[in-house]
Amino acid sequence: MVSKFSQVLSVTRQAPELIVPARPTPREVKQLSDIDDQESLRFRVPVIFFYKNDPSPSMQGRDPVKVIREAISKALVFYYPLAGRLKEGYNRKLMVECNAEGVLFIEADANFTLEQLGDDIQPPCPYLNQLLYDVPGSEGILGCPLFLIQMTRLTCGGFIFALRMNHTMCDGFGLVQFLKAIEDMVRGKCSPTLFPIWQRHILNARNPPRVTCIHHEYDEINNNEVPSDNMAHKSFYFGAKETKALRNQLPFHLKDCSTFDLLTAFIWKCRTIALKLEPEEIAQVSCIINVRGKRYKTDIPSGYYGNAFAFPAVCSKAEQLCKNPIGYAVELVKKAKAQMNDEYIRSVADLMVIKGRRIKFPTRGNFIVSDLSNLGFGEVDLGWGKPIYAGTAGAVELISFFVKHQNKNGEPGNFVPICLPQSVMERFQEELRRMMIQGTMEDLCNINHTQISSKL
């Protein structure tokens, strides 16, 4: 079928197929962790990679679709739960039936080049519906393929690799780990460099479960929902110039805060102003924090590909957030992150079991941020070089992702996709510009002061 999404550009898709593991795999049922199966993670995440025609010597003259399709099949031998289907047990407990039914795959061809796409490779991708076709009947959480992958060849010899992942199965680290296993198979390896580990029991609730921390991220903070119709999706680039303009507005003791803290605080404040919350309404920000690594005592083994994060939150009355300098918001973001420790994620798992996994994050006045800039999406080489863009295809409702990317001048920075109602988005952009100008003016004042001082 041919789907025309402009007068010039079109994509021709083959019928969807199922890629199954290349060899027989265990038939068993595996439970997900009590972090994996919470209501807040029962959604699908679109991720997209754009590749130039830059094959390695061993890939010269070969078809990337055929090569990568075979590599996926081989990788699924080791990641066989991803070829299964989810089902629900007692108290809404999720488990995967490892039946080797496979992941959904679409082969496609486009009549355009990467160059023709221009800035449209940046999130939010306006052609996502054609580059990652939503196969009817595949959109559910239970009983549906856990991955949908579409590969689209381009006339320049490059290709687009897009996927949709059931978030209950993997987090960003886990997804990159699976993609690197596909890369290993492309390179002819017999097994992944990093062997996958299931062990989801590590992040299960304690017995008996006991909530020991305050979890504002699951509080219903405001009664009114943000309207979901007429939503605008836009992405904003923050490079060195933009970051400096914001840092200029910080008090001295916060000047060395992380770029993540600074941008999260800035966007949270602009977003809250744009939403026009009542002065006493609660504005909330949640920071997604992973518990892998030596800093935490959760004993997450290397190779674990399940969800290993929580998103601790802090709250402020809208009036205080909007009227205070940006340093106020930065302090709150730092406070949110400081809550995270081993006890905190254990308490989340316990809360999920006690509440039957039915609670989820609120929408109105809430903002959730995930930093994907250092996960390694841009390092996934499937035999045709590294991608020129790699990351989420846009924001997912009220969740924004920081995605590492270079602008046209080759300057490194972060894209941050935002999703807001159209009228709110217009106000958000106005506030963003105002605060950027304010920071730039402060920089000019500092420069002029330095010049005057040097002359004296």
Side-chain angles (χ1 to χ4, degrees):
M1 70 192 82
V2 178
S3 301
K4 296 182 178 179
F5 48 95
S6 79
Q7 293 182 342
V8 179
L9 310 182
S10 67
V11 169
T12 303
R13 297 186 303 272
Q14 303 297 321
E17 61 180 292
L18 289 167
I19 298 180
V20 301
R23 300 196 303 273
T25 54
R27 296 296 197 268
E28 57 188 353
V29 174
K30 288 179 172 289
Q31 287 194 349
L32 276 63
S33 80
D34 290 325
I35 296 297
D36 290 325
D37 64 5
Q38 59 183 290
E39 185 67 33
S40 295
L41 295 186
R42 298 188 184 200
F43 68 95
R44 298 161 299 139
V45 183
V47 182
I48 194 164
F49 301 76
F50 294 84
Y51 289 93
K52 290 181 177 180
N53 182 18
D54 186 22
S56 63
S58 63
M59 296 299 159
Q60 290 284 350
R62 300 183 67 184
D63 176 13
V65 174
K66 184 175 186 297
V67 170
I68 295 170
R69 181 199 281 118
E70 291 177 357
I72 293 170
S73 179
K74 292 176 181 177
L76 285 174
V77 172
F78 304 94
Y79 287 84
Y80 64 89
L82 301 183
R85 300 292 183 267
L86 286 180
K87 62 181 183 179
E88 210 170 51
Y90 173 74
N91 199 24
R92 303 185 73 236
K93 181 67 186 173
L94 287 183
M95 55 198 77
V96 60
E97 187 174 357
C98 302
N99 53 20
E101 287 189 14
V103 300
L104 204 53
F105 184 85
I106 302 171
E107 175 182 347
D109 292 277
N111 71 340
F112 53 86
T113 66
L114 272 179
E115 186 177 3
Q116 284 178 280
L117 285 177
D119 290 341
D120 285 340
I121 69 169
Q122 302 166 5
C125 178
Y127 312 127
L128 183 63
N129 290 339
Q130 303 304 324
L131 300 175
L132 185 59
Y133 177 62
D134 195 0
V135 178
S138 70
E139 66 278 1
I141 297 299
L142 303 177
C144 290
L146 301 172
F147 273 73
L148 166 64
I149 299 170
Q150 179 172 327
M151 285 193 65
T152 305
R153 302 182 190 90
L154 306 177
T155 55
C156 58
F159 63 91
I160 300 168
F161 181 91
L163 65 87
R164 187 187 71 198
M165 175 188 75
N166 185 321
H167 206 328
T168 64
M169 291 298 292
C170 304
D171 60 10
F173 279 93
L175 173 59
V176 171
Q177 184 180 313
F178 175 54
L179 294 173
K180 296 298 281 186
I182 296 173
E183 177 183 322
D184 286 336
M185 300 301 108
V186 166
R187 296 178 182 277
K189 294 184 178 180
C190 296
S191 61
T193 302
L194 181 59
F195 206 83
I197 301 294
W198 184 259
Q199 293 186 17
R200 303 293 170 106
H201 64 276
I202 292 172
L203 291 177
N204 274 350
R206 294 168 286 202
N207 187 17
R210 54 190 185 277
V211 179
T212 54
C213 301
I214 297 172
H215 297 287
H216 288 304
E217 60 269 33
Y218 300 106
D219 291 345
E220 193 54 61
I221 52 178
N222 298 305
N223 293 326
N224 298 321
E225 296 289 314
V226 175
S228 58
D229 55 333
N230 195 26
M231 300 296 285
H233 295 253
K234 291 186 181 295
S235 190
F236 299 88
Y237 175 79
F238 296 91
K241 177 182 175 182
E242 292 80 9
T243 304
K244 183 180 180 183
L246 296 177
R247 207 173 287 277
N248 286 336
Q249 302 174 54
L250 292 176
F252 180 78
H253 72 284
L254 291 175
K255 290 285 187 183
D256 62 348
C257 76
S258 71
T259 299
F260 174 83
D261 294 351
L262 176 62
L263 296 183
T264 299
F266 168 64
I267 295 169
W268 181 36
K269 179 176 180 178
C270 290
R271 190 178 182 276
T272 303
I273 292 171
L275 284 169
K276 289 188 173 181
L277 300 181
E278 294 296 326
E280 297 297 309
E281 276 194 88
I282 298 300
Q284 180 172 290
V285 65
S286 296
C287 301
I288 293 178
I289 303 175
N290 205 282
V291 294
R292 289 174 172 84
K294 296 180 180 179
R295 180 180 175 184
Y296 301 103
K297 299 178 181 179
T298 48
D299 297 324
I300 304 295
S302 179
Y304 185 88
Y305 61 103
N307 293 283
F309 67 84
F311 38 98
V314 287
C315 304
S316 169
K317 289 184 178 180
E319 183 177 40
Q320 289 180 288
L321 178 62
C322 296
K323 289 188 175 181
N324 271 300
I326 191 173
Y328 171 81
V330 170
E331 294 276 22
L332 286 175
V333 170
K334 292 168 71 72
K335 180 180 177 182
K337 292 169 58 181
Q339 296 177 74
M340 189 62 176
N341 54 34
D342 177 61
E343 183 63 29
Y344 194 93
I345 197 166
R346 299 291 177 197
S347 182
V348 172
D350 293 348
L351 179 65
M352 292 303 117
V353 170
I354 290 171
K355 297 293 186 179
R357 301 171 178 83
R358 293 188 184 279
I359 58 172
K360 64 178 298 186
F361 49 72
T363 54
R364 182 172 172 82
N366 192 18
F367 179 47
I368 302 175
V369 189
S370 179
D371 186 2
L372 306 182
S373 59
N374 295 312
L375 291 193
F377 282 121
E379 302 301 313
V380 177
D381 181 350
L382 299 176
W384 275 260
K386 294 179 181 179
I388 60 171
Y389 172 80
T392 55
V396 180
E397 296 181 353
L398 50 82
I399 307 173
S400 287
F401 304 90
F402 286 25
V403 182
K404 186 183 293 185
H405 191 63
Q406 292 184 346
N407 64 12
K408 293 179 180 178
N409 299 322
E411 299 166 338
N414 284 292
F415 271 117
V416 184
I418 306 284
C419 179
L420 288 167
Q422 181 62 50
S423 60
V424 178
M425 180 65 79
E426 292 169 5
R427 294 194 295 268
F428 174 80
Q429 291 177 276
E430 291 172 5
E431 186 61 27
L432 185 149
R433 281 192 291 266
R434 187 191 69 78
M435 289 188 68
M436 281 293 183
I437 292 171
Q438 179 180 331
T440 303
M441 292 303 294
E442 289 187 19
D443 195 29
L444 289 172
C445 290
N446 291 335
I447 292 172
N448 290 335
H449 177 77
T450 301
Q451 290 173 340
I452 292 170
S453 299
S454 64
K455 288 179 181 179
L456 293 175

